[in-house]
Amino acid sequence: MKYFVFDLGGVLSVPMDIKGLYEQIHWKISFDEFLEKFNFSEESIKVHKGEITTKEFLEYLKQYMNEDVTLDKFKDMYINNNVFFQDTIDIIKHLKELGYKVCLLSNLKEIDDEKLKQNFDISIFDEMFLSYRLGMVKPEDNIYQYVINILKTKPEDIYFFDDNKENAESAIRNGIHAYQVTGYTIKEKIFEILKSL
């Protein structure tokens, strides 16, 4: 059995408009500083690993805000900000019709999972590997080993698609066929792979 594993942001969904989120709130810090804290801080890693909640992450961000933002307001701004790549959706449906297993592997915060469920029919996936539930994030080797073990398959039977080069390289290091693509470029790569199977 072959497994096709997709990242969420950049591959299945259009990357979040982080600049738009920044502009909806009055900050004490520049956009570049916000981006660093939102994506790469220790708290960002913790929320992606499920070690802190969305509420705790927001409390961390609040120290850099010039206004009081409630968790509900933050969720509304965050969740109503989602567009999916139709090509990737069509590819997933086509793979399912061909009898392949389709999975999601993504570094997600709990709020990202809420957003996904509200905007997308997740029943299309045979398995979902979400970092905040697993306590692991890409590109750590352990998350790829976990996927291989749960799927009970050989790594070479997994085809993984991520927009992040480091994530793809890490998957390759773990024996998985991995490709750095986006929702704009995935179609050509998928059909190239299908021709070879």
Side-chain angles (χ1 to χ4, degrees):
M1 174 61 68
K2 305 293 184 188
Y3 294 85
F4 287 79
V5 180
F6 298 85
D7 177 37
L8 178 60
V11 177
L12 175 57
S13 68
V14 175
M16 182 180 176
D17 179 13
I18 297 178
K19 183 76 180 231
L21 181 66
Y22 174 80
E23 290 171 348
Q24 289 181 67
I25 298 171
H26 298 103
W27 296 88
K28 300 173 183 175
I29 55 176
S30 70
F31 175 66
D32 287 342
E33 290 172 304
F34 165 75
L35 199 59
E36 175 67 28
K37 295 182 187 316
F38 191 78
N39 281 337
F40 306 110
S41 65
E42 183 180 341
E43 285 76 8
S44 177
I45 294 166
K46 283 182 177 179
V47 76
H48 278 97
K49 285 188 171 185
E51 294 173 1
I52 62 172
T53 64
T54 300
K55 183 178 181 183
E56 289 170 320
F57 184 55
L58 177 59
E59 289 302 321
Y60 158 72
L61 292 176
K62 274 186 172 184
Q63 65 186 304
Y64 305 106
M65 294 179 189
N66 278 320
E67 62 179 298
D68 185 41
V69 176
T70 65
L71 182 60
D72 287 342
K73 181 180 176 184
F74 183 73
K75 282 184 174 182
D76 284 344
M77 288 185 290
Y78 197 93
I79 288 173
N80 297 319
N81 186 337
N82 221 28
V83 179
F84 294 92
F85 288 109
Q86 191 58 50
D87 274 355
T88 308
I89 294 170
D90 292 342
I91 285 164
I92 289 171
K93 289 178 179 175
H94 182 61
L95 291 168
K96 296 283 286 184
E97 288 167 2
L98 293 174
Y100 295 111
K101 298 290 187 183
V102 176
C103 307
L104 184 71
L105 168 59
S106 193
N107 287 348
L108 293 190
K109 302 182 282 294
E110 183 180 11
I111 193 172
D112 296 313
D113 192 14
E114 289 180 45
K115 179 165 85 166
L116 178 63
K117 287 173 181 171
Q118 286 189 27
N119 294 283
F120 191 80
D121 180 9
I122 62 170
S123 67
I124 197 165
F125 295 113
D126 295 288
E127 292 280 352
M128 291 177 61
F129 302 99
L130 308 181
S131 65
Y132 86 95
R133 290 187 195 166
L134 303 178
M136 305 175 251
V137 293
K138 300 175 293 182
E140 295 172 355
D141 289 336
N142 59 353
I143 199 166
Y144 301 104
Q145 290 301 316
Y146 180 85
V147 169
I148 294 163
N149 290 335
I150 292 297
L151 295 181
K152 296 181 173 62
T153 192
K154 301 174 193 169
E156 58 266 28
D157 286 331
I158 300 173
Y159 295 82
F160 174 56
F161 307 91
D162 198 298
D163 63 323
N164 182 289
K165 183 180 180 183
E166 191 178 359
N167 293 344
E169 288 175 347
S170 181
I172 290 168
R173 189 171 62 245
N174 283 276
I176 293 168
H177 296 285
Y179 309 88
Q180 183 189 7
V181 297
T182 69
Y184 298 109
T185 61
I186 193 170
K187 193 172 186 178
E188 184 178 345
K189 179 55 67 178
I190 288 279
F191 285 106
E192 179 185 312
I193 292 166
L194 290 176
K195 282 179 186 176
S196 70
L197 294 179

